[in-house]
Amino acid sequence: MKPDLFEAPDYYNIDDLLTEEHKLIRDAARDWVKRDVSPIIEEAAQDAKFPKSIIPGLAEIGAFGPYIPEEYGGAGLDQISYGLIMQEIERGDSGVRSTASVQSSLVMYPIWKYGNEEQRKKYLPKLATGEWMGSFGLTEPDHGSNPAGMVTNFKDKGDHYLLNGAKLWISNSPFCDVAVVWAKNEEGRIHGLVVERGMEGFTTPETHNKWSLRASATGELIFQDVKVPKENLLPNKSGLGAPLGCLDSARYGISWGVIGAAMDCYDTALRYAKERVQFGKPIAGFQLQQKKLAEMITEITKAQLLALRLGQLKNEGKATSAQISMAKRNNVDMALKIAREARQILGGMGITGEYSIMRHMMNLESVITYEGTHDIHLLITGLDITGENAFK
Ligand code: TGC
Ligand code: FAD
């Protein structure tokens, strides 16, 4: 892969709207990605292996629990800092950002918000350092967009719960130490349980042959009569709103993250267009290529402003789930379209691993599907503005 020459576009001087702390945190993450992710990520993706060597670095830049209070090992940062860290990591690779999203928003967040003090103290510090890695089991083979239909269930056996079922498409599953699993009790009410590796009957087979998110490990969580201690149930929230609350936090992070992938594609395509000569001049001098590049920077700028405003609302505790859906949907779509256009600017070179664009493009095909598909987020906006439910 070519050396990482990334220069971040900031067409509307958005840096002026950030605090010095935001910029320091962002720049530290940016430097780390350049130093520790860019040199290894293409090979990891080609080999379809999550590069575990980067786990300590992710912890060091605050990517595990950026907004979790420091008393539990988190970085105690605000929501804009969280977004900026996700942006920088996904500039490197969406699969690496996935690992951080899952650890922070889908594992640490529910333990922090829905767990008791003992659970917080037991799990959060180790998750913050990356000593333990987590996964989040909501999706099932027959229940993806409609998690309310889940069949994974647990029964009260007096001194423990007995858990049965299977989760599919689970990021980090093959190597997770703990899994936050959503399952129904005997009354059909959804609860979160922390399942630990080593519990008898709990297995995590890897899903192979993905063309997308190849540097992220994806797999199943299978529960066959797993005895889960009663103290592993998250006591402070139940019902579908509990996992969906975690998704709000992760979807918010994605709305920033994908800006990073888009910026990398744009920056690569702009540099290439200025250097690549055809018909006697750089291809950047042809109107057709300028149209692509001009539209890319316009869309990136709009997405940056959307994410920043959403971050301000999140900091004030005012962001609605529907606002988060709009940003996730818009920004992922923006990034995927930019990746496709940028790849064309590189011609044949665009399909090779010499450049990051094709990898971003393939990754974003997952990002537009997970955490609620492009369609589901449109229906969430539709319901919010009309009051009419078009899901069912
Ligand atoms: P519905 O009746 O609308 O809601 C049930 C209860 O949940 C509440 N609620 C929310 N709470 C918090 N945040 C949200 N975003 C919420 N949306 C709804 C709602 O108020 C209600 O509460 P209550 O107290 O009245 O019971 O539920 P529904 O069954 O009609 O479904 C709605 C729908 C379709 C929007 C929802 O099921 C959905 O979002 N589906 C998409 C599923 C999804 O996003 N799965 C993601 C799995 S995890 C993942 O992909 C990780 S990838 C990670 C990575 O690698 O980065
Ligand atoms: P379906 O729900 O079967 O949808 C198929 C198509 O039908 C989609 O186009 C969808 O938009 C459309 N559709 C569905 N319902 C409607 C409707 N009402 N109206 C109109 N169209 C509709 N899940 C986890 O729990 N944890 C994870 O860590 C995790 N990581 C993932 C990692 C990867 C790489 C991938 C690909 C997925 C991951 N997922 C995870 C699962 C992900 O959240 C689901 O794939 C996603 O929610 C969609 O579910 P599905 O794949 O079953 O598709």
Side-chain angles (χ1 to χ4, degrees), residues 10 12-19 23 26-27 30 84:
D10 183 12
Y12 261 39
N13 303 341
I14 288 168
D15 261 22
D16 293 350
L17 304 176
L18 303 176
T19 64
K23 285 185 262 188
R26 192 262 324 269
D27 292 347
R30 186 169 290 170
L84 287 165

Side-chain angles (χ1 to χ4, degrees), residues 138-153 167 182 184 188 190 240 392:
L138 181 65
T139 306
E140 300 188 350
D142 294 329
H143 300 94
S145 298
N146 178 27
M150 70 173 68
V151 294
T152 298
N153 65 87
K167 301 287 176 180
W182 301 94
K184 285 180 177 166
I190 294 172
L240 187 61
K392 300 169 187 169

Side-chain angles (χ1 to χ4, degrees), residues 4-82:
D4 183 352
L5 303 173
F6 178 68
E7 284 173 44
D10 183 12
Y11 203 70
Y12 261 39
N13 303 341
I14 288 168
D15 261 22
D16 293 350
L17 304 176
L18 303 176
T19 64
E20 285 310 310
E21 189 187 33
H22 289 148
K23 285 185 262 188
L24 278 174
I25 289 160
R26 192 262 324 269
D27 292 347
R30 186 169 290 170
D31 291 347
W32 175 75
V33 168
K34 226 173 212 188
R35 196 186 62 236
D36 286 2
V37 178
S38 298
I40 57 143
I41 196 64
E42 179 62 29
E43 196 178 327
Q46 295 280 0
D47 292 349
K49 284 215 171 76
F50 170 67
K52 282 192 184 163
S53 60
I54 64 173
I55 288 175
L58 279 165
E60 248 166 60
I61 61 162
F64 295 156
Y67 54 84
I68 301 286
E70 286 171 287
E71 60 176 307
Y72 301 117
L77 301 171
D78 75 344
Q79 291 290 323
I80 293 174
S81 304
Y82 163 42

Side-chain angles (χ1 to χ4, degrees), residues 97-98 101-102 106 136 138-139 144-148 171 240-241 244-245 247-248 251 321 370-372 376 380 391-392:
R97 198 268 307 135
S98 280
S101 291
V102 170
L106 300 182
F136 174 89
L138 181 65
T139 306
S145 298
N146 178 27
S171 301
L240 187 61
L244 291 180
L247 294 185
D248 272 359
R251 290 166 177 174
S321 299
Y370 68 34
E371 300 271 8
I376 289 296
I380 291 172
F391 292 106
K392 300 169 187 169

Side-chain angles (χ1 to χ4, degrees), residues 26 85 93-95 107 194 207 231 248 253 290 324 372 377:
R26 192 262 324 269
I85 293 172
D93 190 80
S94 304
V107 180
V194 185
T207 301
E231 64 262 26
D248 272 359
Q290 287 191 3
I324 293 169
H377 289 296

Side-chain angles (χ1 to χ4, degrees), residues 268-269 272-273 276 278 283 289 292 339-355 357-358 361:
T268 304
Y272 189 89
R276 175 71 176 166
Q278 288 294 288
I283 59 170
Q289 306 314 317
K292 292 189 183 92
R340 287 172 182 155
E341 290 287 294
R343 201 223 50 77
Q344 290 199 52
I345 291 179
L346 268 68
M349 286 311 291
I351 71 153
T352 72
E354 287 294 296
Y355 296 90
I357 297 178
M358 187 82 175
M361 190 178 105

